[in-house]
Amino acid sequence: QVQLVESGGGSVQSGGSLRLSCVVTRGSFGRDCMAWFRQAPGKEREGVAALDYYDGRARNIVADSMKGRFSVSGDYTKNTLYLQMNSLKPEDTAMYYCAAVEPKEEYGCPGYWLPVSEYKYWGQGTQVTVSS
């Protein structure tokens, strides 16, 4: 059973930084389609960033509203997915989740995040709270 465990959340002031980690166990880090999502109270879960590997190269994408502030990366040696968040804003307050799914036979991984329902594995989430 694949397990995802997030950490790194916390409370920061506006303009601060956090780095979230997602450790993957019993999965195929580097082959699976990985993504970060977030969900604020009363809102739907939304895609933040995605990371996958195509033709031996890492591909990553960050949501437009977070480009320039957030970045996604992975460490093969530690089976860990990261989300570096800089210049945090109060509207970034949410529970952050990492998600994974095996690549699709038809196209592998898409190079961006899939719909929430497409992900087979989820972490428990880590809370990020940004105060003004």
Side-chain angles (χ1 to χ4, degrees):
Q1 179 75 11
V2 175
Q3 292 184 329
L4 308 178
V5 179
E6 302 101 332
S7 62
S11 296
V12 296
Q13 291 191 327
S14 182
S17 297
L18 286 172
R19 187 176 80 157
L20 307 184
S21 300
C22 173
V23 178
V24 181
T25 56
R26 303 190 189 95
S28 298
F29 190 85
R31 187 202 68 169
D32 290 347
C33 313
M34 305 287 301
W36 285 101
F37 286 80
R38 70 183 186 184
Q39 188 166 19
K43 294 189 176 182
E44 292 187 354
R45 196 166 293 192
E46 64 172 344
V48 173
L51 177 73
D52 59 46
Y53 294 86
Y54 178 79
D55 199 22
R57 298 172 64 181
R59 299 185 300 185
N60 60 77
I61 187 169
V62 176
D64 286 345
S65 61
M66 301 159 219
K67 278 182 181 176
R69 300 190 300 122
F70 291 12
S71 62
V72 60
S73 62
D75 186 333
Y76 283 109
T77 65
K78 298 180 179 179
N79 283 348
T80 301
L81 181 71
Y82 298 104
L83 182 68
Q84 178 67 44
M85 305 185 296
N86 300 324
S87 302
L88 283 162
K89 305 175 181 180
E91 51 263 43
D92 295 318
T93 294
M95 186 72 80
Y96 284 71
Y97 300 90
C98 67
V101 66
E102 293 88 352
K104 306 296 184 183
E105 286 190 19
E106 300 86 355
Y107 57 80
C109 292
Y112 53 86
W113 50 91
L114 295 160
V116 170
S117 59
E118 294 287 327
Y119 287 92
K120 188 174 179 181
Y121 308 106
W122 291 87
Q124 81 287 355
T126 185
Q127 179 68 39
V128 171
T129 302
V130 185
S131 58
S132 57

